[in-house]
Amino acid sequence: MFISMSRTDLPKDFLSTLVPELDGSDILGIVLGGSHARGDAGLYSDVDVALFVKDDVQPPPKQFFYRDGYLVSIAFKNVAGIREEISRPNRAIFVVPGLRGATILLDKNGSVGNLLRDIDAFVWEPLQPAADSYASYTVMALAEQVHKVLTETPRGNELALAYATAKLLPGLTEAVAVQRGVLVKSDNTYYEQVEAVAGPEWAKDHRIVAGVDAEVGDATPATSRALAAVRLYRETVEFLRSSMEPAHLAIAERAVKIAESEVNLGL
């Protein structure tokens, strides 16, 4: 049973006792991020902590544990790795907003503070050419999933349709986010932010593909979502057309033309 409650403040001494436990000889800094740093945490929000290890140390996998009823998420990073990530547009859209506004809990040599100041000063424009190229290739490559929908729709293979839909949804969302430089505030706002940038027509099919809205018709839910995903592909091609590379655009347009001739997209 879920109880409607909110809790925005961590218990007293939660962080002050946690930091010494996480500290070690390879640790350069510790920061608090996520909803508890932003001040919008809810009852079930996890506590996002980043441990910055020395640059010559391989960051271990993410770790989780419970403390005082809170799920604590420990992500291991290093300064050089973050600087490399924010040079890549498909990572910068998540990393930059994720660390902006983070609270420094420990900074042994000042490198974490310097990094966060550089992130605060981050500007998107130098990444735009790489963002255009990344989004263009992504859309072109997703033509393969459009063809899977065209192949499996007549067969009624709903699991295959679900698989293709599950590829198209995040891929097309990311393509728009990267090309438009959408700095994702949180997982909870990601889709909302991208829909706001792409506009209502794109958002309409995006919501169907995501399972938020249902489409009235004779098709099964899996088929309906798959066809909406193909429409979303077409709308994404149109939305990003001016920034796509000619060779990529030619493939994407051909996939759209074939789709329009082979299946009823529910227009």
Side-chain angles (χ1 to χ4, degrees):
M1 177 180 179
F2 289 93
I3 302 172
S4 179
M5 295 176 61
S6 63
R7 176 173 61 190
T8 59
D9 296 326
L10 292 170
K12 184 180 180 181
D13 300 329
F14 185 94
L15 295 173
S16 62
T17 57
L18 182 63
V19 169
E21 295 178 24
L22 298 176
D23 192 12
S25 59
D26 288 334
I27 303 299
L28 293 180
I30 302 175
V31 304
L32 174 70
S35 57
H36 285 284
R38 294 191 303 269
D40 58 4
L43 177 62
Y44 299 104
S45 296
D46 62 328
V47 180
D48 292 295
V49 177
L51 269 60
F52 283 84
V53 299
K54 295 177 181 178
D55 286 345
D56 60 354
V57 174
Q58 178 65 35
K62 201 170 189 179
Q63 297 178 6
F64 298 87
F65 59 86
Y66 280 97
R67 170 69 59 85
D68 298 337
Y70 290 85
L71 177 63
V72 181
S73 166
I74 306 293
F76 294 86
K77 307 177 184 294
N78 55 45
V79 171
I82 292 297
R83 291 192 181 281
E84 191 277 330
E85 284 195 281
I86 64 176
S87 72
R88 293 186 284 130
N90 59 308
R91 292 299 304 141
I93 62 171
F94 299 107
V95 174
V96 169
L99 286 174
R100 272 183 175 166
T103 301
I104 296 178
L105 305 177
L106 178 69
D107 189 6
K108 293 180 179 178
N109 63 2
S111 61
V112 173
N114 289 336
L115 172 66
L116 295 191
R117 282 189 288 274
D118 288 344
I119 285 177
D120 284 341
F122 171 88
V123 292
W124 179 260
E125 285 72 19
L127 296 187
Q128 191 61 59
D132 291 345
S133 180
Y134 183 91
S136 179
Y137 180 85
T138 297
V139 172
M140 182 269 293
L142 287 170
E144 180 182 8
Q145 302 306 321
V146 171
H147 277 260
K148 288 185 186 299
V149 172
L150 301 181
T151 299
E152 300 303 334
T153 296
R155 297 175 180 174
N157 188 341
E158 297 194 342
L159 286 176
L161 291 175
Y163 178 88
T165 301
K167 292 285 188 178
L168 285 163
L169 176 61
L172 295 173
T173 304
E174 184 189 44
V176 172
V178 169
Q179 199 282 323
R180 286 299 195 265
V182 177
L183 299 182
V184 181
K185 298 174 185 176
S186 74
D187 293 346
N188 296 335
T189 67
Y190 180 26
Y191 282 5
E192 181 181 0
Q193 286 181 257
V194 177
E195 287 182 358
V197 167
E201 288 303 313
W202 191 93
K204 178 181 177 182
D205 280 317
H206 189 258
R207 291 173 64 86
I208 294 172
V209 180
V212 176
D213 293 337
E215 195 169 27
V216 177
D218 296 331
T220 64
T223 300
S224 177
R225 290 182 62 206
L227 295 178
V230 175
R231 294 198 303 268
L232 188 68
Y233 182 86
R234 180 180 59 186
E235 290 153 11
T236 304
V237 172
E238 288 303 312
F239 187 66
L240 301 182
R241 173 181 295 278
S242 63
S243 64
M244 290 186 67
E245 297 174 17
H248 297 165
L249 181 60
I251 296 295
E253 288 182 323
R254 181 67 181 273
V256 168
K257 186 171 295 186
I258 292 171
E260 289 176 333
S261 66
E262 292 297 325
V263 297
N264 179 6
L265 295 180
L267 298 176

